[in-house]
Amino acid sequence: MKNSAGAIAAVSVLNGPSAFAANDKMVVGVMGLGGRGTFLAEKFAERPDVELAYLCDPDSRRLPRAKDTVTKAGKHTPKLVQDFRRILEDKSVDVVVNATPDHWHALGTILACQAGKHVYVEKPLSHNLWEGRQMVAAARKYQRVVQAGLQTRSTRYLQDAMAYIKTGQLGDVKLVKVYNMMNHPFVKAGPDQPVPEGFDYELWCGPAPKAPYNPSRRWLGYFDYSCGPIPGDLVHQVDAARCLMGDPPAPGSVNHTGGISVLKDGRDTPDTQIASFDYGSFTLITESSLWTPYIMKTPMDMRDKDVPPNWPFNSTRVELYGTKGFLYFGRHGDGWQAFDEKGKSVVSACGRQADREHVQNFLDCIRSNKLPNADVEQAHQSTLLCHLANTSWRLGNIRLEFDGASETFRNPAANRYLRRTYREPWAVPEKV
């Protein structure tokens, strides 16, 4: 069983000697300087136990803004590079933060592990299912700590909700519903254009096809570069749901319905996704869309306040249906609320976001050689659900049976979506 093999290989991470004393500074490089990458660069830079040595993006126009942000937050002026391989070549670098688009998550992480770097990689973990397994293999082989950006796993309120479930007050949880409702704009197509000066477009495309440069082509909407905007956000709640249910291995089947219903602007990823996963002892259902303005995420400035969400109109919630009770859970500080068999609220707990705690856990685990809260294996198992749903849709919304041991479909036609064709020299290696 691949899951068992991963667990056995992980023992070396748990028991191996650490290269870091408690007060040693870690040298960090960040690849990918969009909004999330710059945010993470700032969070690492403000830590006294980190030296932020590199900022990297193939689009050099992003470098000055990121430099200004981290220079204000930290005490070091980082080197600015376009090619992340300059970070990998520097033996003084201990950690790579990978905040690139989806199509660069796997190769960037694997190359970093091979270069002896620990990795904090943003979600979704992988562009396709096979890549996720290769990332796990690289982390275990090179005994690197790989933490995915699924920061809800580092919240205290998730642990409290898990403890409540274990009391049995919900009874047997037989149905889990996971929501991700958003409101994305229609993207008006524009003409192809020359690549802007200072943008290494060849490097940005990397493993993906090199289409003509077009600034109106939002990479999130296309399978060449992304899992889709729904899975890229939904995976936070899917991961929380799996954690609440004890991190089960892969489901035995997937049923998907939906497609491109509203945003018919040239994208090839769905704007409406409903998927059902059979775990044997329970069923997990995801419901997502990109065109529902009335169902909203909790505003950022409200997530760390003791204000419970308006659950029915909360766009990023998880619902657990037990034989004796019901539980709402929200990501990123939204807290949780439990109800008894008569529908009476018996627990209402607010939460807090955990970006800093998640980074702290990552660095602590590098020092202790323990697996982090959002270890690459669990991130793979959560992202896997998004890949299963996408495959069902791409084959015409058909039911697919899945073998979690081999991580293959029983329908041969579906197995061609387990991985992609790579553009040399940017192929994810067969042997990591």
Side-chain angles (χ1 to χ4, degrees), residues 396-415:
N397 283 336
I398 64 173
R399 181 180 183 276
L400 295 173
E401 293 185 356
F402 186 72
D403 178 13
S406 63
E407 293 191 345
T408 59
F409 293 100
R410 301 190 189 280
N411 182 331
N415 287 326

Side-chain angles (χ1 to χ4, degrees), residues 115-392:
K117 320 300 184 188
H118 303 280
V119 183
Y120 185 110
V121 58
E122 265 305 321
K123 54 75 197 171
L125 182 73
S126 57
H127 176 270
N128 57 69
L129 193 150
W130 178 77
E131 285 186 352
R133 180 49 61 192
Q134 296 298 92
M135 294 167 79
V136 176
R140 302 302 189 241
K141 178 177 179 179
Y142 299 100
Q143 299 183 30
R144 298 299 90 185
V145 175
V146 177
Q147 170 96 299
L150 297 165
Q151 59 268 31
T152 297
R153 282 192 180 248
S154 290
T155 62
R156 174 59 185 271
Y157 76 94
L158 174 63
Q159 301 303 316
D160 292 342
M162 291 172 62
Y164 179 83
I165 294 167
K166 289 179 180 178
T167 67
Q169 294 182 69
L170 293 183
D172 294 329
V173 178
K174 294 297 184 182
L175 176 63
V176 178
K177 291 186 177 181
V178 181
Y179 294 86
N180 199 80
M181 317 299 281
M182 296 182 285
N183 187 32
H184 282 206
F186 184 95
V187 180
K188 185 177 180 180
D192 296 339
Q193 296 184 17
V195 176
E197 184 177 354
F199 184 20
D200 189 340
Y201 185 58
E202 159 69 24
L203 182 59
W204 185 91
C205 291
K210 189 177 179 181
Y213 175 74
N214 190 319
S216 71
R217 187 189 304 113
R218 305 297 174 89
W219 64 266
L220 269 174
Y222 294 86
F223 277 124
D224 279 346
Y225 313 104
S226 167
C227 305
I230 286 175
D233 204 42
L234 173 71
V235 70
H236 276 298
Q237 293 88 269
V238 165
D239 186 65
R242 287 190 61 257
C243 194
L244 291 168
M245 294 299 292
D247 283 329
S253 67
V254 58
N255 285 282
H256 181 281
T257 188
I260 304 173
S261 304
V262 177
L263 301 177
K264 300 178 181 181
D265 53 9
R267 70 184 64 220
D268 63 7
T269 59
D271 64 13
T272 307
Q273 287 197 290
I274 301 172
S276 175
F277 304 90
D278 181 7
Y279 276 94
S281 62
F282 71 95
T283 300
L284 187 148
I285 297 174
T286 65
E287 297 187 18
S288 309
S289 72
L290 298 178
W291 43 266
T292 48
Y294 40 84
I295 305 180
M296 296 171 285
K297 293 181 180 179
T298 302
M300 290 293 292
D301 61 350
M302 295 296 292
R303 290 179 178 177
D304 291 329
K305 297 180 179 179
D306 293 330
V307 179
N310 179 7
W311 288 114
F313 288 91
N314 179 276
S315 67
T316 54
R317 69 190 189 274
V318 176
E319 298 177 353
L320 272 63
Y321 294 74
T323 54
K324 296 180 180 179
F326 172 88
L327 188 143
Y328 279 123
F329 182 89
R331 79 180 204 191
H332 298 355
D334 270 345
W336 59 284
Q337 187 172 7
F339 299 80
D340 65 16
E341 57 192 346
K342 296 181 180 179
K344 178 183 177 182
S345 176
V346 291
V347 179
S348 184
C350 295
R352 293 292 184 269
Q353 299 178 80
D355 286 297
R356 286 184 176 86
E357 291 81 356
H358 207 51
V359 170
Q360 181 71 58
N361 172 253
F362 172 59
L363 298 178
D364 286 347
C365 288
I366 294 173
R367 289 188 169 92
S368 67
N369 277 351
K370 293 182 179 179
L371 297 182
N373 290 339
D375 175 59
V376 61
E377 174 67 43
Q378 293 306 330
H380 171 60
Q381 293 294 335
S382 295
T383 309
L384 176 150
L385 299 186
C386 302
H387 298 319
L388 298 190
N390 279 340
T391 301
S392 174

Side-chain angles (χ1 to χ4, degrees), residues 28-45 52 54-57 62 65-67 69-70 97-101 105 120 122:
V28 176
V30 179
M31 56 183 293
L33 298 171
R36 187 63 186 174
T38 301
F39 174 85
L40 286 171
E42 181 181 15
K43 295 308 170 192
F44 276 89
L52 188 63
Y54 287 90
L55 292 174
C56 174
D57 198 289
R62 287 180 163 181
R65 176 178 67 92
K67 177 186 175 183
T69 299
V70 302
V97 177
N98 184 342
T100 58
H105 285 182
Y120 185 110
E122 265 305 321

